[in-house]
Structures are given as structure tokens and as C-alpha cells.
Amino acid sequence: MAGRDFLQIPGPTNIPERVLRAMDRAMIDHRGPKFRDLLRGLLPRLQKLFVTERGTPVLFSGTGTAGLEAALANTLSPGDRVLVYVIGYFSQVYARMAEKMGLDVERVDLPWGEGISGEDVEARLKADKGQRIKAVLAIHNETSTGVMTDLPQVRAALDRAKHPALLVVDSISGLGCLDLRFDEWGVDVAITGSQKGLMLPPGLAVLCVSDKGLRASQTAKMPRYYFDWSAMIEQNRKGLFPYTPATSLLFGLDEGLNMLFEEGLDRVFARHARLAEGLRRAVQAWKLSLVAKRRELASDTVSAIGVPQGFDADKIIDLAASHFHVALGSGLGPLQGRAFRVGHLGALNAVEVLAIVGAVEMVLSSLNIPVELGRGVAAAQSWFLSRNGDGPV
Ligand code: PLP
């Protein structure tokens, strides 16, 4: 194939050349001085990424799911009550994981496309008179529906209810793309995976833990060995890992962080918001609708786009892949066949979004979904031009 493939699933995302080059290195001794320097360079910059001074970053080899499991295993004991909001496929997986791990799950199922409301969190925590709920599990960005959570609202709800539950946040498709202020928002454990905003291959779970989260782990009785973060934190202080680290991914992480900080986190977030809006303008021009029920819920990292009744969204994905070298995300769970997803996170710019919009437009038109060629592209172009003052896109 001439040219390049467009990987527009919501993770893994495109890996920038710089990160690829950084990983293309021979192994080093993970008990030697080079590794120590690498790790000691990474940990403070991870704090900067989570916008924390007091939080402790923890790295496990494993995907995001491993990080989610580690968060529960370290902070809770079997039988502990947790409040879980299920707003789509990934939050459902987290609720199921919690159940399987023997937690007592207060599960709040909302229609897919809805978001978590601070008022509801507050009401449930106030109703928990005995303060049995030990943790609130909230998803920062539900990747299956393209819905973002207003985390400061969730924090404010915990505060208003004067409830001591831990706030555990799945930010797997958020961190490095969406604002997340660990200290300011009183997050106790935040979790991400390497293959999204960090622009790396999959395989690294990155967590940040508050002092309160660390204290909880001293009494938490959930069985754990590999995921015991106390061993990890203790060894990290000496510049070591308790077992063999995924060294190549750490080389890549070093360069990924360089790129994020060179651009500046605020600019990274603004870029994601701008690109997402360009795509949303195109969706509007196609007269299609997002799965996200309201504009303020719509994610800046992934858009789940519904198709008109009678059309099969999977055909869009197949044709985009076979004819246009564009990989789109499928609808997950009940959204399969009813929606397709476009990832717009990580290393991405406006011209790439235009290419994707142009390709989707051709696919929709080929499948007789009534869109006028060029409408979506023009809508996105106009939006990007209107934001020219923001600087290069
Ligand atoms: N949570 C969210 C929000 C996700 O987007 C994903 C993956 O896409 C996961 C959890 C699962 O992460 P992983 O596939 O890296 O284990």
C-alpha cells in the first residue's frame, strides 16, 4: 500500500516517529545505573503529567485493565462496598471486575450515552449513613460511548456528602489528552494505559496514588502479589523494579513525556478539544448523531457516531479498512452495528482529521447513507480556520 494507514481506533493510537526511534534500542541492565537514571527521570515527570506534588506514580507491565485491577487489589478488602457507575462497555467491565474480586458492588446503570451526575453521587453517598462505601469508581472517559465525566463535580459531591470514600478514576482514554488534576480534584487512584494519550504501544499500566490511597493499602486485605504496589514503590525509591520491567516501553514513555511537555499540557488538551470539535462539526453536517446524549458530555478523545436505523455500522468499518486504509472503532456491546467510533487522541493534527472525515464521507456515500460529499470536510475546515488564532494545528 502506498502512503500510510490511518489508525483511528480509540487506542492504540499512532506512535510518533520520535517514540518509535526511542524504543528502537538494545536492552540495558535493569539493575544498573542507566536504568536507575531512566526511572528517576520518569517518576517526577509522571507526577507532572498527573498534576500532583504528593501523588505517587506506579508502573506495572500490563494493559490498562491490569492497572484497574491493581487499584482495587491494593486499596480494598473482599466484601468492601464500592459505588460503580456503568455508562458503557468499559465501566461495565470495571463493575464486573469488582464483583469477581469479591467486592460488594453498588452498581448504577445509566443509559449508554449518559454521563455521571454529581447530584446522584452526592445523594447515594448521603444515603450511605454507615459510610460502608469504601470507594467510588468513576470513568473519566467512557471510550465505548464517547462520554466524558466532569470529575470536579464528582469530587465536589464526595465533599458535600462529607464521605470518606476513595475516588478511583479510570482515565485510560483520558490522561495525556484531557485535563486531569490529581491533587486539586482529590483523586485517590488514577489509572491509564500506555497505548492512548501516551502514544506508546500497549503494555504499560500507569497509576498515580494519593497518600490516602497508600494508607488504605496498609490495611487492604485483597490478595495481591504482582500488583502489590508497596513492593513497587519501595524498589522504585532505589531506582529498581521488583521484577523485570518493560524497558522498551519505558524508553518510549520517556520520549512520549518529552513530546507532551514540549507541546505543553494545556496546549495538548486544547488541541484535543479543537480536533474533536472539528469531527463533531462534520458529524453534524452529515446529519448523524453522537451516542453522547448532550454536547457537554461529548468526549474530546473519541466520538461514537450512531448510524440511521436499517444501516449496519460494521459495514462502514469494513469498507473504511478495505478501501481507504482507515481503521475505525466498532460499536461495543449493544452499540455493535448501531454505531462506529473515531478515535481522535494522541499524536494527531487537523489535516489528519480532515483526511479521516473525507474518508468516512466516501464510505458513507458508498453505502448509500445520504451524505453530501464535501459537507463534513467543509464543516471541519471552517471550524479549524475559525480557530487559526490558536496557532498551528
Ligand atoms: N477502560 C477504558 C476507558 C478503556 O478505554 C479501555 C481500553 O480501551 C480499558 C479500560 C481497557 O484497557 P486495556 O485494553 O488497555 O486493558
Side-chain angles (χ1 to χ4, degrees):
M1 201 262 307
R4 77 165 175 93
D5 283 317
F6 281 80
L7 183 63
Q8 295 318 134
I9 57 174
T13 59
N14 294 301
I15 306 177
E17 284 292 321
R18 277 176 62 176
V19 172
L20 286 172
R21 297 286 84 81
M23 290 188 299
D24 187 11
R25 282 179 58 186
M27 283 302 96
I28 55 172
D29 173 12
H30 59 280
R31 301 190 200 284
K34 283 189 184 151
F35 184 81
R36 207 162 47 230
D37 290 347
L38 173 67
L39 188 61
R40 290 195 170 145
L42 285 173
L43 296 175
R45 285 186 303 143
L46 285 174
Q47 285 186 307
K48 195 171 154 192
L49 180 69
F50 283 99
V51 196
T52 181
E53 286 179 5
R54 300 186 300 274
T56 304
V58 181
L59 294 156
F60 289 111
S61 306
T63 64
T65 309
L68 299 176
E69 183 162 340
L72 302 185
N74 280 282
T75 53
L76 298 163
S77 303
D80 276 354
R81 195 165 177 79
V82 291
L83 176 61
V84 192
Y85 280 86
V86 174
I87 59 170
Y89 180 85
F90 290 103
S91 38
Q92 177 167 282
V93 167
Y94 211 14
R96 286 195 181 141
M97 182 196 291
E99 277 160 11
K100 276 212 152 188
M101 289 173 77
L103 295 166
D104 172 14
V105 178
E106 178 171 334
R107 176 179 159 144
V108 186
D109 274 277
L110 299 179
W112 290 27
E114 268 300 342
I116 303 173
S117 102
E119 287 79 37
D120 192 76
V121 177
E122 183 181 351
R124 284 174 192 279
L125 293 180
K126 278 187 171 158
D128 178 33
K129 299 285 180 223
Q131 300 195 325
R132 286 184 53 227
I133 295 173
K134 298 290 178 228
V136 177
L137 312 188
I139 194 160
H140 190 187
N141 186 77
E142 176 47 82
T143 320
S144 63
T145 56
V147 164
M148 293 193 290
T149 298
D150 187 338
L151 290 174
Q153 267 207 32
V154 176
R155 174 74 256 164
L158 276 137
D159 293 345
R160 280 197 303 272
K162 298 193 176 53
H163 200 290
L166 297 166
L167 177 57
V168 178
V169 173
D170 168 350
S171 189
I172 290 175
S173 58
L175 191 82
C177 314
L178 310 177
D179 200 4
L180 191 154
R181 303 181 206 168
F182 189 84
D183 287 354
E184 190 182 325
W185 298 353
V187 179
D188 292 300
V189 191
I191 304 110
T192 197
S194 49
Q195 75 275 23
K196 313 247 181 192
L198 295 173
M199 307 173 287
L200 300 173
L204 208 56
V206 185
L207 291 82
C208 191
V209 190
S210 70
D211 288 339
K212 189 168 152 191
L214 290 180
R215 277 197 302 279
S217 61
Q218 286 164 7
T219 50
K221 298 202 171 46
M222 197 74 82
R224 54 190 184 269
Y225 178 77
Y226 182 83
F227 288 132
D228 188 347
W229 63 36
S230 63
M232 180 62 82
I233 294 166
E234 192 190 316
Q235 291 295 308
N236 281 180
R237 283 201 191 102
K238 300 179 211 156
L240 295 168
F241 257 53
Y243 29 72
T244 314
T247 311
S248 303
L249 290 171
L250 298 181
F251 289 148
L253 178 61
D254 192 47
E255 191 62 7
L257 290 173
N258 285 342
M259 291 183 69
L260 289 172
F261 295 133
E262 278 167 28
E263 186 175 353
L265 287 184
D266 287 346
R267 275 199 290 274
V268 170
F269 305 149
R271 172 169 56 81
H272 279 84
R274 203 158 57 230
L275 298 181
E277 183 59 22
L279 184 82
R280 287 191 288 262
R281 299 273 167 129
V283 172
Q284 210 175 13
W286 296 329
K287 299 193 170 57
L288 295 182
S289 43
L290 295 176
V291 172
K293 294 215 188 280
R294 290 179 299 287
R295 167 65 187 85
E296 71 270 19
L297 295 174
S299 164
D300 285 340
T301 61
V302 51
S303 295
I305 303 163
V307 295
Q309 269 203 333
F311 289 98
D312 179 0
D314 287 349
K315 292 212 169 102
I316 298 173
I317 295 158
D318 290 348
L319 191 62
S322 62
H323 274 63
F324 300 102
H325 307 286
V326 176
L328 301 170
S330 56
L332 295 177
L335 292 175
Q336 181 163 17
R338 293 175 45 211
F340 64 100
R341 293 175 302 147
V342 180
H344 31 83
L345 68 166
L348 195 70
N349 63 36
V351 171
E352 289 169 313
V353 171
L354 292 176
I356 299 150
V357 168
V360 172
E361 218 157 62
M362 288 191 281
V363 170
L364 296 175
S365 177
S366 310
L367 293 172
N368 298 321
I369 295 179
V371 296
E372 202 180 310
L373 287 179
R375 287 289 294 267
V377 175
Q381 284 173 319
S382 304
W383 163 251
F384 292 138
L385 277 182
S386 76
R387 300 304 299 261
N388 250 354
D390 297 351
V393 286

